Amino acid sequence: MTCASEIQRYLIKTGANPADAQDIVQDVFIKLIQADIVLAPDKLRPWLYRVALSRFYDLYRREKRYRALLSERFYLIYGNVVNLDNDRSWQLEQALQTLTDYQLGLVTLYYEDDKSVKDISEIYQISEAKVKTDLYRLRHKLKQEMEQNNEDE
């Protein structure tokens, strides 16, 4: 078993979802390469674990902070949906409830806080292309959810 897969399994046991664990491991190895760190072989594995765990805690704190922010913001958004009639407002609310924390964060940052794609990419430490793609998919998903909620009525 490789060191990368060991760290990934450790992060999953700690509470990270598999996709986040894989991203964290990749970030740790990129940091190791870019920083050009010279460590003794017996010190390398503990350093990798420590940095990976630190990244996971940072991600967890960021998501926890976003959840608190989102619960406040979306309460305000629901109250501010003025242009939509009650049915459309309800459909939007139902569609928003199906989103993940990351998706809700994108919605809040882009539409409510008027952040640019570049700013969002820096906040989440992902590429601008990924932010654009995720926003496109998110709009498509919301549209489908709202149409499905409309058909269910």
Side-chain angles (χ1 to χ4, degrees):
M1 183 181 312
T2 66
C3 185
S5 60
E6 286 178 21
I7 294 171
Q8 185 176 349
R9 288 181 57 212
Y10 175 74
L11 290 171
I12 291 170
K13 286 181 183 178
T14 306
N17 65 45
D20 286 342
Q22 191 175 19
D23 290 344
I24 290 169
V25 169
Q26 182 179 353
D27 289 344
V28 169
F29 280 98
I30 288 172
K31 181 176 182 173
L32 177 67
I33 292 168
Q34 287 178 342
D36 199 28
I37 297 173
V38 178
L39 293 171
D42 62 326
K43 303 284 186 196
L44 182 61
R45 178 175 252 116
W47 183 87
L48 292 171
Y49 273 88
R50 189 173 55 247
V51 172
L53 196 56
S54 175
R55 293 257 182 176
F56 170 66
Y57 289 151
D58 290 344
L59 178 67
Y60 176 78
R61 279 192 296 269
R62 185 180 310 126
E63 286 181 6
K64 186 176 176 183
R65 194 171 51 235
Y66 281 135
R67 279 190 210 114
L69 175 73
L70 292 175
S71 64
E72 289 176 23
R73 289 301 215 177
F74 279 105
Y75 178 76
L76 296 174
I77 289 174
Y78 295 151
N80 291 336
V81 179
V82 185
N83 297 334
L84 301 175
D85 58 2
N86 287 339
D87 289 338
R88 299 281 294 165
S89 176
W90 179 83
Q91 290 170 0
L92 177 61
E93 183 175 340
Q94 293 299 317
L96 288 170
Q97 289 178 359
T98 65
L99 302 180
T100 64
D101 292 336
Y102 168 72
Q103 292 170 328
L104 287 172
L106 284 179
V107 168
T108 301
L109 291 171
Y110 190 74
Y111 292 106
E112 184 67 18
D113 295 345
D114 295 323
K115 297 282 187 192
S116 68
V117 170
K118 182 178 180 181
D119 292 340
I120 295 171
S121 71
E122 290 172 1
I123 290 170
Y124 280 108
Q125 297 177 351
I126 57 177
S127 70
E128 290 181 36
K130 178 163 174 47
V131 172
K132 289 178 186 177
T133 303
D134 290 346
L135 283 170
Y136 171 79
R137 290 178 181 162
L138 177 61
R139 286 188 293 268
H140 189 260
K141 180 179 180 177
L142 284 174
K143 181 180 176 184
Q144 284 182 332
E145 288 289 330
M146 289 178 72
E147 288 172 354
Q148 183 179 0
N149 289 338
N150 191 25
E151 291 173 3
D152 291 342
E153 288 181 1

